[in-house]
Amino acid sequence: AARTRGKPILVPLPALSARGPNRSRAGRARSRLFPFSVPAHFFPTAIGICGFGWNEAALTDFRLPSSSPADAIESETPPAFLQPLIARVQRHLRGSPEDFADLPYALLGVTDFQRRVYRETLAVKAGSTRSYGDLAAALALPPGGSRAVAAALGANPWPLLIPCHRVIGSDGKLTGFSGPGGVATKAKLLALEG
């Protein structure tokens, strides 16, 4: 996959059909984590089992550990262009921050507005934070635009990689995090990054 210097590759793709019913326990668990018909890989990290999905050209999804992980989840070998991601995430979650802006992100059902928010969020580097209002201002949104930014980040299919956990309230408080564990996970991720 081609990469651009310092900019994520966002690959627009048509929506995939929802996964049909799975009879196996592992299949049902994978279906809850990745509702699309894409291959997925799961791997251990310092904070639990993470996973990601992909298609032929890009990363379609990323999952942080759940508080109630399935004991068996189907996992496939990722393509060569995504294999380094495993070690990078593991290093990051051990406290050695990584920048994931170079990854090829698939825009599976992502709106133009969400794409703009995600690009701006990728500019928030480890060890720093920005408020929802800061992002809204950077995107030249009208007053109240911070709510739209928060909604876009709440739908982020790549938490951690597109670092929505680094976006906080205007008063400096940790607010909203749609990933497993909510604000407690957000605080843990920020603490890991210094």
Side-chain angles (χ1 to χ4, degrees):
R3 296 207 170 29
T4 58
R5 197 175 269 261
K7 294 201 179 209
I9 300 172
L10 299 172
V11 182
L13 298 165
L16 297 175
S17 62
R19 182 178 265 274
N22 288 300
R23 301 253 181 243
S24 74
R25 184 176 183 185
R28 285 191 310 274
R30 183 180 181 280
S31 183
R32 279 193 312 275
L33 293 171
F34 291 91
F36 302 106
S37 297
V38 296
H41 181 75
F42 298 90
F43 56 97
T45 72
I47 67 167
I49 302 295
C50 288
F52 58 87
W54 67 89
N55 60 31
E56 64 281 346
L59 188 64
T60 59
D61 207 334
F62 183 82
R63 289 290 181 240
L64 289 165
S66 171
S67 59
S68 57
D71 45 347
I73 300 174
E74 295 171 12
S75 192
E76 299 179 34
T77 302
F81 76 95
L82 286 176
Q83 287 180 0
L85 177 59
I86 299 163
R88 290 175 68 187
V89 169
Q90 289 170 329
R91 276 191 303 271
H92 188 92
L93 294 176
R94 281 193 311 263
S96 296
E98 291 278 328
D99 185 337
F100 300 106
D102 63 328
L103 295 174
Y105 295 98
L107 298 178
L108 195 61
V110 173
T111 68
D112 288 340
F113 177 72
Q114 288 169 323
R115 186 177 312 124
R116 290 176 52 217
V117 171
Y118 299 159
R119 281 188 177 129
E120 193 64 34
T121 304
L122 281 165
V124 184
K125 300 305 178 191
S128 64
T129 58
R130 289 178 67 193
S131 73
Y132 296 98
D134 291 339
L135 291 182
L139 294 168
L141 298 178
S146 59
R147 288 190 178 120
V149 168
L153 291 176
N156 177 8
W158 306 280
L160 179 70
L161 307 181
I162 294 182
C164 53
H165 62 282
R166 296 180 192 149
V167 184
I168 60 174
S170 61
D171 58 2
K173 290 185 179 176
L174 301 186
T175 59
F177 186 67
S178 60
V183 174
T185 299
K186 186 174 194 167
K188 182 188 297 186
L189 294 174
L190 289 172
L192 282 170
E193 295 176 351

